[in-house]
Amino acid sequence: MNFDLDEDQSLFKATVERFVQGCDVQARLRARKLPGGLDRARWSEMAEAGLIAMAAAEADGGLGASETDCALVAQALGQGLAMEPWLECGFLPARLLAGSPHLEGVIDGSVLAAVAFAETGRRYALDAKHVQAHAGAGGTVLRGEKTFVLSGGAAELFIVSANLDGATVLYAVPRDTAGLDIKPYPIVDGSLAATITFRDVAVGEPLAASLASCIDEAMVMAIAEMVGTAHRLFDDTLAYVKAREQFGQPIGRFQVIQHRMVDAYSRVEQMQSALYRVLLVPEKERLAHICGIKALVSDDAIWTAQQAVQLHGGMGTTDDLGIGHGLKRILLLSKLFADPASAMAAYAKVA
Amino acid sequence: MDIAFTDEDLAFRDEVRAFLDEKLNPRLREGSAQTPSVFTEPDITREWQAILNEKGWLATSWPKEDGGPGWSVVQKYLFEKECAIAGAPSVPILGLKLVGPVICRFGTPAQKAHFLPRILSGEDYWCQGYSEPGSGSDLASLKTRAERVGDKYIVNGSKIWTTHAHHANWIFALVRTNPEAKKQEGISFLLIPMEQPGVTVNPIMTMANDHEVNATFFDNAESDASNLIGEEGQGWTIAKFLLENERGGGCAAPGLLAQLDRIEDYARAEPSGVNGPMIHDAGFAQRLARLRLEAQAFEVTELRILAEMIKGRPAGPQTSLVKLVSSNLRQSIQMLSVDLFGYEGLQLPTARPLYGNMAPEPIGSNEAQVAMPTYLNGRAYTIFGGSDEVQKTIIAKQVLGL
Ligand SMILES: Cc1cc2nc3c(=O)[nH]c(=O)nc-3n(C[C@H](O)[C@H](O)[C@H](O)COP(=O)(O)OP(=O)(O)OC[C@H]3O[C@@H](n4cnc5c(N)ncnc54)[C@H](O)[C@@H]3O)c2cc1C
């Protein structure tokens, strides 16, 4: 038994730590004002560092990193409060585009890919219904609408789930394809999601990957990023209650604050262990297990983030500290692919 | 024991209902519902203020001789309850509910004659300058200095979290007039005009993208000595009066219950994506039910306080719980609303306002659009006006004798 990082893992972690250096709140607010709400230079940097390639198989020109390696990167990105949509535009597309010619541009960072999996009125359902793939003599076209396409405001390529004769399949659709109507809107982490309407959008062959299994892996990454983010908010809050003085002493001297910090510490450690469990323990019902751990970690991460806000007082409620940005990213991740209630319900059914 | 209102009170309630029905136009209702920040913006509150002022129903917490409607505590409660149920906007509370009653109670006849009518008419818009960067929970450590020079005070220092200072032309501030005196005793309550070179207001954005609070700086700012309320050194006593005036006789539960009703309506329409609408989702329905029970119990807590006030008895120790219970309940309701709307609850518009012609188009319903910014701004409820931790310490000491 051993929970130490191996050499590759330490390297990945160090790479991320270098990458997130200097990514302070001011840089973040500046980047959100750029077209698409994203700093493309930093995205290229991230790609050059191999952080997208790691999620693709070696046969596909990637680095073929393990799930644990990827999760450690997700955690480090969370710990660094990175604003790059690595999970939704890096990791997930790299998995979904396995074997596709579109993969290369995604890996080298020249193409930003967004995944269109959500549909209006279908909550967290992942089978496609509202976008239909119609196969005709002249080829296949997509019709319908997707919503909550993360970073859809910035992406050049969409990976769209569609219903083809009752089955959910995936298509790669470049942004400039005729018949796409993209409406961007701002969401909680400051990025631009989009609602996309497809009007007889011509597509090629479906992708080989399965949406469901790639989403399982992405959920693990969401867990890892939440764990990292919660760690960071805990660390920042611990430093704050040691430094902030009221009534002539650091607020960390008040017993209620001490106990609250111990509660947060205990939850963060539990979250870390839950992540290791999902990574290291083989489970028969792996998907359900991932759901259960995502529900648990989401609840604890939200609690920790809310306490971080509370213990920062007025400062915690502003957009000027990483605290609020961490809370907002956690809120998004906690609902990504399933919210805590639906994830826990899925787990309880098999547990 | 009896929980009913008298027939007379019910007749008053009906009169208020009819008035609200007639006067609450769609713009006011929309402005009130689509406000994600803690305070409603002045363009909405001032329009409503003018309507109430015309009717004489504006300064509900002022004595009749100063321009209040002369209502009983029950009438005041019923008015606030009906306003909450009808979704009426708030009025600018910093002037009407905070500094107004202070001027009524401690002001000289000249101060009353000058300031009170201008609060009623809306000519003056007020903000509150208590907190400082180094003095939040420990308010008595405040450092902003006001020095008497001739017939003026010269003010230096900085205040923070000044809500709506960017709209205000006056600030009521706690300032230190005597640096030698013991902490509380050196503090005075001073009114300071905002429109002068010595006052600078810098915006602070909330994590929901709202500009509600500010940092306000005083650099040799001036105020006439006649703008001091009470005596020098009496500031702490006045500040405590203001706080106590705000507590007790509260009417938060009806608004919370109305919000739960709205959530329920939306839950009847919101698809669960699995089977039927969200209201059929057992987990969701139970959370909603639980919060409704808590809000209903809290409504009775508020009525118990009201009953004491009707009898003219000092309000009981339950008063100390009101802020604690209501702010936590409010935050849970705000979270429930975010959760109801699934991915649509994650939208966070950057443009403001969210009402009127310029409002950004919502993804889904209007309610879904305000859910997240309301939740994010709502984190402040357990922080301002005495944080949860500070409230609990006070209750532990003063109520429980620990
Ligand atoms: C949206 C908003 C609007 C506001 N509007 C105004 C306004 O208009 N005018 C104005 O003057 N002020 C305003 N405030 C300020 C507000 O009253 C202060 O934020 C509040 O008093 C807390 O002070 P602080 O932010 O400095 O936090 P701190 O006092 O630094 O507290 C930080 C944390 O430590 C805890 N803590 C502090 N002391 C103790 C203790 N003894 N025991 C246990 N825990 C403790 C607190 O509970 C909190 O969790 C506003 C604040 C907000 C967020």
Side-chain angles (χ1 to χ4, degrees), chain A residues 19-334:
Chain A
F19 176 71
V20 296
Q21 254 175 26
C23 170
D24 60 6
V25 171
Q26 289 318 313
R28 178 183 207 102
L29 297 177
R30 269 197 307 278
R32 290 311 189 197
K33 297 211 170 79
L34 297 172
L38 193 78
D39 184 340
R40 288 302 291 264
R42 274 185 64 80
W43 186 257
S44 300
E45 231 179 273
M46 175 177 245
E48 273 160 32
L51 294 174
I52 304 173
M54 70 183 297
E58 275 173 296
D60 281 335
L63 300 173
S66 71
E67 182 183 43
T68 301
D69 295 351
C70 291
L72 291 170
V73 162
Q75 173 165 351
L77 287 165
Q79 177 96 37
L81 292 180
M83 59 175 295
E84 281 66 34
W86 176 85
L87 194 171
E88 57 268 40
C89 298
F91 176 85
L92 186 56
R95 293 296 224 230
L96 293 174
L97 291 170
S100 155
H102 290 288
L103 182 58
E104 195 184 334
V106 169
I107 287 180
D108 69 23
S110 59
V111 175
L112 189 80
V115 187
F117 57 85
E119 299 180 341
T120 300
R122 309 231 15 253
R123 224 169 158 81
Y124 305 106
L126 282 170
D127 56 320
K129 274 200 181 141
H130 292 180
V131 171
Q132 295 283 336
H134 298 269
T140 306
V141 294
L142 300 185
R143 285 178 205 147
E145 193 192 82
K146 290 283 177 181
T147 188
F148 196 63
V149 181
L150 293 173
S151 290
E156 288 96 18
L157 179 73
F158 298 105
I159 301 168
V160 185
S161 68
N163 188 302
L164 177 69
D165 302 327
T168 296
V169 295
L170 298 164
Y171 294 97
V173 184
R175 188 186 190 96
D176 52 15
T177 313
L180 279 187
D181 183 14
I182 305 161
K183 280 206 190 104
Y185 63 94
I187 59 166
V188 65
D189 67 347
S191 66
L192 285 179
T195 294
I196 305 181
T197 312
F198 300 83
R199 291 198 184 84
D200 291 328
V201 173
V203 291
E205 288 299 305
L207 298 172
S210 131
L211 178 66
S213 65
C214 293
I215 294 276
D216 296 354
E217 296 171 328
M219 273 206 252
V220 174
M221 299 307 134
I223 294 168
E225 193 182 332
M226 281 192 279
V227 172
T229 311
H231 259 294
R232 169 62 175 273
L233 298 188
F234 172 80
D235 291 346
D236 285 2
T237 305
L238 185 61
Y240 190 76
V241 302
K242 286 180 180 171
R244 170 71 172 169
E245 292 194 5
Q246 288 290 280
F247 304 99
Q249 54 187 315
I251 57 174
R253 288 261 177 81
F254 298 118
Q255 201 168 45
V256 62
I257 306 266
Q258 293 174 347
H259 289 191
R260 194 84 50 83
M261 288 309 295
V262 174
D263 286 343
Y265 174 61
S266 137
R267 290 203 194 208
V268 168
E269 288 303 318
Q270 282 282 87
M271 279 184 241
Q272 184 71 65
S273 297
L275 171 64
Y276 286 158
R277 182 171 171 106
V278 84
L279 290 171
L280 305 176
V281 181
E283 295 283 348
K284 263 200 259 121
E285 300 281 356
R286 181 170 150 87
L287 169 60
H289 210 80
I290 292 172
C291 282
I293 288 187
K294 181 162 188 284
L296 180 76
V297 167
S298 297
D299 281 345
D300 283 351
I302 291 172
W303 184 87
T304 304
Q306 288 181 340
Q307 292 307 323
V309 171
Q310 179 70 21
L311 296 184
H312 277 77
M315 281 309 300
T317 68
T318 71
D319 223 26
D320 299 338
L321 294 188
I323 299 298
H325 296 281
L327 168 63
K328 291 191 277 187
R329 181 68 180 168
I330 284 173
L331 289 169
L332 188 154
L333 294 172
S334 74

Side-chain angles (χ1 to χ4, degrees), chain A residues 123-124 335 339, chain B residues 259-272 277-281 284-285 287-288 333-346 365 367-368 371:
Chain A
R123 224 169 158 81
Y124 305 106
K335 287 183 194 294
D339 71 1
Chain B
Q259 179 58 22
L260 286 167
D261 285 344
R262 253 194 310 280
I263 290 177
E264 183 176 336
D265 286 346
Y266 277 96
R268 289 189 188 291
E270 184 70 22
S272 68
M278 279 303 285
I279 197 72
H280 294 156
D281 180 278
F284 182 85
R287 274 175 76 194
L288 176 64
I333 293 170
Q334 289 168 341
M335 180 96 263
L336 183 72
S337 184
V338 167
D339 291 346
L340 169 61
F341 294 111
Y343 290 139
E344 285 169 7
L346 291 172
S365 61
E367 192 85 1

Side-chain angles (χ1 to χ4, degrees), chain A residues 240-241 244-247 249 251-252 254-257 260 307-318, chain B residues 38-39 94 98 127-139 159-165 172 206 212-213 377 379-391 393 397:
Chain A
Y240 190 76
V241 302
R244 170 71 172 169
E245 292 194 5
Q246 288 290 280
F247 304 99
Q249 54 187 315
I251 57 174
F254 298 118
Q255 201 168 45
V256 62
I257 306 266
R260 194 84 50 83
Q307 292 307 323
V309 171
Q310 179 70 21
L311 296 184
H312 277 77
M315 281 309 300
T317 68
T318 71
Chain B
V38 173
F39 283 48
L94 293 152
L98 299 186
C127 66
Q128 175 181 33
Y130 280 19
S131 311
E132 296 181 4
S135 306
S137 298
D138 182 14
L139 188 56
K159 295 290 178 182
I160 194 168
W161 316 120
T162 40
T163 301
H164 282 193
F172 59 96
T206 72
E212 181 160 32
V213 296
N377 287 323
R379 300 317 302 170
Y381 279 97
T382 46
I383 294 169
F384 60 63
S387 70
D388 261 28
E389 290 76 17
V390 167
Q391 300 274 353
T393 301
K397 282 198 185 129

